[in-house]
Coordinates of all heavy atoms in Angstrom, one line a residue:
M693 N 97.0 75.8 9.2 CA 98.3 76.0 8.5 C 98.4 77.5 8.2 O 97.5 78.1 7.6 CB 98.4 75.1 7.3 CG 99.7 75.3 6.6 SD 99.8 74.2 5.2 CE 101.0 73.0 5.8
T694 N 99.5 78.1 8.5 CA 99.7 79.5 8.2 C 100.2 79.6 6.7 O 101.1 79.0 6.3 CB 100.8 80.0 9.1 OG1 100.4 79.8 10.5 CG2 101.0 81.5 8.9
P695 N 99.6 80.6 6.0 CA 100.0 80.8 4.6 C 101.4 81.5 4.5 O 101.7 82.3 5.4 CB 98.9 81.6 4.0 CG 98.3 82.3 5.1 CD 98.4 81.4 6.3
I696 N 102.2 81.1 3.5 CA 103.5 81.7 3.3 C 103.4 83.1 2.6 O 104.3 83.9 2.8 CB 104.4 80.8 2.5 CG1 104.6 79.5 3.3 CG2 105.7 81.4 2.2 CD1 105.3 78.4 2.6
D697 N 102.4 83.3 1.8 CA 102.3 84.5 1.0 C 102.1 85.7 2.0 O 101.1 85.8 2.7 CB 101.1 84.4 0.1 CG 101.0 85.6 -0.8 OD1 102.0 86.3 -1.0 OD2 99.9 85.8 -1.4
R698 N 103.0 86.7 1.9 CA 102.9 87.8 2.8 C 102.5 89.1 2.0 O 102.7 90.2 2.5 CB 104.3 88.1 3.4 CG 104.8 87.0 4.2 CD 104.5 87.2 5.7 NE 105.0 86.1 6.5 CZ 104.5 85.7 7.6 NH1 103.5 86.3 8.1 NH2 105.1 84.8 8.3
T699 N 102.0 88.9 0.8 CA 101.5 90.1 0.0 C 100.3 90.7 0.7 O 99.3 90.0 0.9 CB 101.2 89.6 -1.4 OG1 102.3 89.0 -1.9 CG2 100.8 90.8 -2.3
P700 N 100.3 92.0 1.0 CA 99.1 92.6 1.6 C 98.0 92.6 0.6 O 98.1 92.8 -0.6 CB 99.6 94.0 1.9 CG 100.8 94.2 1.2 CD 101.4 92.9 0.8
T701 N 96.8 92.4 1.1 CA 95.6 92.5 0.3 C 95.2 93.9 -0.1 O 95.5 94.8 0.7 CB 94.4 91.8 1.0 OG1 94.2 92.5 2.2 CG2 94.7 90.3 1.2
G702 N 94.7 94.1 -1.3 CA 94.2 95.4 -1.7 C 95.3 96.3 -2.4 O 95.1 97.4 -2.6
T703 N 96.4 95.7 -2.7 CA 97.5 96.6 -3.3 C 97.1 97.0 -4.7 O 97.5 98.0 -5.2 CB 98.8 95.9 -3.3 OG1 98.7 94.6 -3.9 CG2 99.3 95.7 -1.9
E704 N 96.4 96.1 -5.5 CA 96.1 96.4 -6.9 C 95.1 97.6 -7.0 O 95.3 98.5 -7.8 CB 95.6 95.2 -7.6 CG 96.6 94.1 -7.8 CD 96.1 92.9 -8.4 OE1 95.0 93.0 -9.0 OE2 96.7 91.8 -8.4
S705 N 94.1 97.6 -6.2 CA 93.1 98.6 -6.2 C 93.7 99.9 -5.7 O 93.4 101.0 -6.2 CB 91.9 98.3 -5.4 OG 92.2 98.1 -4.1
S706 N 94.6 99.9 -4.7 CA 95.2 101.1 -4.2 C 96.1 101.8 -5.3 O 96.1 103.0 -5.4 CB 96.0 100.8 -3.0 OG 95.2 100.3 -2.0
S707 N 96.9 101.0 -6.0 CA 97.8 101.5 -7.0 C 97.0 102.1 -8.1 O 97.4 103.1 -8.8 CB 98.8 100.5 -7.4 OG 98.1 99.4 -8.1
A708 N 95.9 101.4 -8.5 CA 95.0 101.9 -9.6 C 94.4 103.3 -9.2 O 94.2 104.2 -10.0 CB 93.9 100.9 -9.9
R709 N 94.1 103.4 -7.9 CA 93.5 104.7 -7.5 C 94.5 105.8 -7.6 O 94.2 106.9 -8.0 CB 93.1 104.6 -6.0 CG 91.7 105.1 -5.8 CD 91.2 104.9 -4.3 NE 91.0 103.5 -4.1 CZ 91.2 102.8 -3.0 NH1 91.7 103.5 -2.0 NH2 90.9 101.6 -2.9
Y710 N 95.8 105.6 -7.2 CA 96.8 106.6 -7.3 C 97.3 106.9 -8.7 O 97.9 107.9 -8.9 CB 98.0 106.2 -6.4 CG 97.7 106.2 -4.9 CD1 97.8 105.0 -4.2 CD2 97.1 107.3 -4.3 CE1 97.5 105.0 -2.8 CE2 96.8 107.3 -3.0 CZ 97.0 106.2 -2.2 OH 96.7 106.2 -0.9
A711 N 97.0 106.0 -9.6 CA 97.4 106.2 -11.0 C 96.7 107.4 -11.6 O 97.2 108.1 -12.5 CB 97.2 104.9 -11.8
W712 N 95.5 107.6 -11.2 CA 94.7 108.7 -11.7 C 95.0 110.1 -11.1 O 94.6 111.1 -11.7 CB 93.2 108.4 -11.6 CG 92.7 107.4 -12.5 CD1 92.6 106.0 -12.2 CD2 92.4 107.5 -13.9 NE1 92.1 105.4 -13.3 CE2 92.1 106.3 -14.4 CE3 92.4 108.6 -14.7 CZ2 91.7 106.1 -15.7 CZ3 92.0 108.4 -16.1 CH2 91.7 107.2 -16.5
L713 N 95.7 110.1 -10.1 CA 96.0 111.4 -9.4 C 96.7 112.4 -10.3 O 96.3 113.5 -10.3 CB 96.8 111.1 -8.1 CG 97.0 112.3 -7.2 CD1 95.7 112.9 -6.7 CD2 97.9 111.9 -6.0
P714 N 97.8 112.0 -11.0 CA 98.5 113.0 -11.9 C 97.5 113.5 -13.0 O 97.6 114.7 -13.4 CB 99.7 112.3 -12.4 CG 99.9 111.1 -11.6 CD 98.6 110.8 -11.0
V715 N 96.7 112.6 -13.5 CA 95.8 113.0 -14.6 C 94.8 114.0 -14.1 O 94.5 115.1 -14.7 CB 95.1 111.8 -15.1 CG1 94.0 112.2 -16.2 CG2 96.1 110.8 -15.7
V716 N 94.2 113.8 -12.9 CA 93.2 114.7 -12.3 C 93.9 116.0 -12.0 O 93.3 117.1 -12.2 CB 92.5 114.1 -11.1 CG1 91.7 115.1 -10.4 CG2 91.7 112.9 -11.5
T717 N 95.1 116.0 -11.4 CA 95.8 117.2 -11.1 C 96.1 118.0 -12.3 O 96.0 119.3 -12.3 CB 97.1 116.9 -10.4 OG1 96.8 116.1 -9.2 CG2 97.8 118.1 -9.9
T718 N 96.5 117.4 -13.4 CA 96.8 118.1 -14.7 C 95.6 118.7 -15.2 O 95.6 119.9 -15.7 CB 97.5 117.1 -15.7 OG1 98.7 116.6 -15.1 CG2 97.8 117.8 -17.0
L719 N 94.5 118.0 -15.2 CA 93.3 118.5 -15.8 C 92.7 119.7 -15.0 O 92.2 120.7 -15.5 CB 92.2 117.4 -15.9 CG 92.4 116.4 -17.0 CD1 91.4 115.3 -16.9 CD2 92.5 117.0 -18.3
A720 N 92.9 119.6 -13.7 CA 92.4 120.7 -12.8 C 93.3 122.0 -13.0 O 92.8 123.1 -13.1 CB 92.5 120.3 -11.3
T721 N 94.6 121.8 -13.2 CA 95.5 122.9 -13.4 C 95.2 123.5 -14.8 O 95.1 124.8 -14.9 CB 97.0 122.4 -13.4 OG1 97.2 121.8 -12.1 CG2 97.9 123.6 -13.6
L722 N 95.0 122.7 -15.8 CA 94.6 123.2 -17.1 C 93.3 124.0 -17.1 O 93.2 125.1 -17.7 CB 94.5 122.1 -18.1 CG 94.2 122.4 -19.5 CD1 95.2 123.4 -20.1 CD2 94.1 121.2 -20.4
A723 N 92.3 123.5 -16.4 CA 91.0 124.2 -16.3 C 91.2 125.5 -15.6 O 90.6 126.5 -16.0 CB 90.0 123.3 -15.5
A724 N 92.0 125.5 -14.5 CA 92.2 126.8 -13.8 C 92.9 127.8 -14.6 O 92.6 129.0 -14.6 CB 93.0 126.5 -12.5
V725 N 93.9 127.4 -15.4 CA 94.7 128.3 -16.3 C 93.7 128.9 -17.4 O 93.8 130.1 -17.6 CB 95.9 127.6 -16.9 CG1 96.5 128.4 -18.0 CG2 96.9 127.3 -15.8
L726 N 92.9 128.0 -17.9 CA 92.0 128.5 -19.0 C 91.0 129.5 -18.4 O 90.7 130.5 -19.1 CB 91.3 127.3 -19.7 CG 92.2 126.4 -20.6 CD1 91.4 125.2 -21.1 CD2 92.7 127.2 -21.7
I727 N 90.4 129.2 -17.3 CA 89.5 130.1 -16.7 C 90.1 131.4 -16.4 O 89.5 132.5 -16.6 CB 88.8 129.5 -15.4 CG1 87.9 128.3 -15.8 CG2 88.1 130.5 -14.6 CD1 87.4 127.5 -14.6
L728 N 91.3 131.4 -15.8 CA 92.0 132.6 -15.5 C 92.3 133.4 -16.7 O 92.2 134.7 -16.8 CB 93.3 132.4 -14.7 CG 93.0 131.9 -13.2 CD1 94.3 131.4 -12.6 CD2 92.4 133.0 -12.4
A729 N 92.8 132.7 -17.8 CA 93.1 133.4 -19.0 C 91.9 134.0 -19.7 O 92.0 135.2 -20.2 CB 93.8 132.4 -20.0
F730 N 90.8 133.3 -19.7 CA 89.6 133.9 -20.3 C 88.9 135.0 -19.6 O 88.2 135.8 -20.1 CB 88.6 132.8 -20.6 CG 88.9 131.9 -21.7 CD1 88.8 130.5 -21.6 CD2 89.4 132.4 -22.9 CE1 89.1 129.7 -22.7 CE2 89.8 131.5 -24.0 CZ 89.6 130.2 -23.9
T731 N 89.2 135.1 -18.3 CA 88.6 136.1 -17.5 C 89.5 137.4 -17.4 O 89.2 138.3 -16.7 CB 88.3 135.7 -16.0 OG1 89.5 135.2 -15.4 CG2 87.2 134.6 -16.0
G732 N 90.7 137.3 -18.1 CA 91.5 138.5 -18.2 C 92.6 138.5 -17.1 O 93.3 139.5 -16.9
N733 N 92.8 137.4 -16.4 CA 93.9 137.4 -15.4 C 95.1 136.7 -16.0 O 95.5 135.6 -15.6 CB 93.4 136.7 -14.1 CG 92.3 137.4 -13.5 OD1 92.3 138.6 -13.4 ND2 91.3 136.7 -13.0
G734 N 95.8 137.3 -16.9 CA 96.9 136.7 -17.6 C 98.1 136.4 -16.6 O 98.7 135.3 -16.7
A735 N 98.4 137.3 -15.7 CA 99.5 137.0 -14.8 C 99.2 135.9 -13.9 O 100.1 135.0 -13.6 CB 99.8 138.3 -14.0
A736 N 98.0 135.8 -13.4 CA 97.6 134.7 -12.5 C 97.6 133.3 -13.3 O 98.0 132.3 -12.7 CB 96.2 134.9 -11.9
A737 N 97.2 133.4 -14.6 CA 97.2 132.2 -15.4 C 98.6 131.7 -15.6 O 98.9 130.5 -15.5 CB 96.5 132.4 -16.7
I738 N 99.6 132.6 -15.8 CA 101.0 132.2 -16.0 C 101.5 131.6 -14.7 O 102.2 130.6 -14.7 CB 101.8 133.4 -16.5 CG1 101.3 133.8 -17.9 CG2 103.3 133.1 -16.5 CD1 101.9 135.0 -18.5
A739 N 101.2 132.3 -13.6 CA 101.7 131.8 -12.3 C 101.1 130.4 -12.0 O 101.8 129.5 -11.5 CB 101.3 132.7 -11.2
T740 N 99.8 130.2 -12.3 CA 99.2 128.9 -12.0 C 99.8 127.8 -12.9 O 100.1 126.7 -12.5 CB 97.7 129.0 -12.2 OG1 97.2 130.0 -11.4 CG2 97.0 127.7 -11.9
A741 N 100.1 128.1 -14.2 CA 100.7 127.2 -15.1 C 102.1 126.8 -14.6 O 102.5 125.7 -14.7 CB 100.7 127.7 -16.5
A742 N 102.8 127.8 -14.1 CA 104.2 127.5 -13.7 C 104.2 126.6 -12.4 O 105.0 125.7 -12.3 CB 104.9 128.8 -13.4
V743 N 103.3 126.9 -11.5 CA 103.2 126.1 -10.3 C 102.8 124.6 -10.7 O 103.3 123.7 -10.2 CB 102.3 126.7 -9.3 CG1 101.9 125.7 -8.1 CG2 102.8 128.0 -8.7
G744 N 101.8 124.5 -11.6 CA 101.3 123.2 -12.0 C 102.4 122.4 -12.7 O 102.6 121.2 -12.5
A745 N 103.2 123.1 -13.5 CA 104.3 122.4 -14.2 C 105.4 122.0 -13.3 O 106.0 120.9 -13.4 CB 104.8 123.3 -15.3
A746 N 105.7 122.8 -12.3 CA 106.7 122.5 -11.4 C 106.3 121.4 -10.4 O 107.1 120.5 -10.0 CB 107.1 123.7 -10.6
A747 N 105.0 121.4 -10.0 CA 104.6 120.4 -9.0 C 104.3 119.0 -9.6 O 104.6 118.0 -9.0 CB 103.3 120.9 -8.4
G748 N 103.8 119.0 -10.8 CA 103.4 117.7 -11.4 C 104.3 117.2 -12.4 O 105.0 116.2 -12.3
G749 N 104.4 117.9 -13.5 CA 105.2 117.4 -14.6 C 104.4 116.3 -15.3 O 103.3 115.9 -14.9
I750 N 104.9 115.7 -16.3 CA 104.2 114.6 -17.0 C 105.1 113.4 -17.1 O 106.3 113.5 -17.4 CB 103.9 115.1 -18.5 CG1 102.9 116.2 -18.4 CG2 103.3 113.9 -19.2 CD1 102.5 116.7 -19.8
Q751 N 104.6 112.3 -16.7 CA 105.4 111.1 -16.7 C 104.6 110.0 -17.5 O 103.4 109.8 -17.2 CB 105.6 110.6 -15.3 CG 106.4 109.3 -15.2 CD 106.5 108.8 -13.8 OE1 106.1 109.4 -12.8 NE2 107.1 107.6 -13.6
I752 N 105.2 109.4 -18.4 CA 104.6 108.4 -19.3 C 105.3 107.1 -19.0 O 106.5 107.0 -19.2 CB 104.6 108.8 -20.7 CG1 103.8 110.1 -21.0 CG2 104.0 107.7 -21.6 CD1 103.9 110.6 -22.4
T753 N 104.5 106.1 -18.7 CA 105.1 104.8 -18.5 C 104.5 103.8 -19.5 O 103.3 103.8 -19.6 CB 104.8 104.3 -17.0 OG1 105.3 105.2 -16.1 CG2 105.5 102.9 -16.8
V754 N 105.3 103.1 -20.1 CA 104.8 102.1 -21.1 C 105.2 100.7 -20.6 O 106.3 100.4 -20.3 CB 105.5 102.3 -22.5 CG1 105.1 101.3 -23.5 CG2 105.3 103.8 -23.0
H755 N 104.1 99.9 -20.6 CA 104.3 98.5 -20.2 C 104.1 97.6 -21.4 O 103.1 97.6 -22.0 CB 103.3 98.1 -19.1 CG 103.4 98.9 -17.8 ND1 104.3 98.6 -16.9 CD2 102.7 99.9 -17.4 CE1 104.2 99.4 -15.9 NE2 103.2 100.3 -16.2
I756 N 105.1 96.9 -21.7 CA 105.1 96.0 -22.9 C 104.8 94.6 -22.4 O 105.5 94.0 -21.6 CB 106.4 96.1 -23.7 CG1 106.7 97.5 -24.2 CG2 106.4 95.1 -24.9 CD1 108.0 97.7 -24.8
R757 N 103.7 94.0 -23.0 CA 103.4 92.7 -22.6 C 103.6 91.8 -23.8 O 103.2 92.1 -24.9 CB 101.9 92.6 -22.2 CG 101.6 93.4 -21.0 CD 100.1 93.2 -20.6 NE 99.8 94.1 -19.5 CZ 98.7 94.3 -19.0 NH1 97.6 93.6 -19.5 NH2 98.5 95.1 -17.9
R758 N 104.2 90.7 -23.5 CA 104.5 89.7 -24.6 C 103.7 88.5 -24.5 O 103.4 88.0 -23.4 CB 106.0 89.3 -24.7 CG 106.8 90.5 -25.0 CD 108.2 90.1 -25.2 NE 109.0 91.4 -25.4 CZ 110.2 91.4 -25.9 NH1 110.7 90.2 -26.3 NH2 110.8 92.5 -26.2

């Protein structure tokens, strides 16, 4: 008998993997900005911060469970 459920397998783990991508990108950008600022490259730090803010931004999602 053929199952009716057409949900692809592995969707939960895939979405959980992609949920960390903005966090890792933000932390990497912050680390790069701090390293550039502490080494005296202020202009490069400002440029890196601007590119990171434009590319990523911050998105907060709240899931309310009842």
Side-chain angles (χ1 to χ4, degrees):
M693 180 178 254
T694 305
I696 298 174
D697 185 20
R698 301 265 183 208
T699 305
T701 59
T703 56
E704 292 179 15
S705 63
S706 298
S707 63
R709 228 177 287 145
Y710 292 123
W712 286 100
L713 187 62
V715 174
V716 171
T717 305
T718 302
L719 290 176
T721 304
L722 181 60
V725 168
L726 288 175
I727 290 170
L728 288 170
F730 285 137
T731 58
N733 296 320
I738 292 171
T740 305
V743 169
I750 296 175
Q751 178 182 359
I752 298 173
T753 304
V754 177
H755 297 281
I756 300 173
R757 297 182 184 177
R758 294 184 184 201

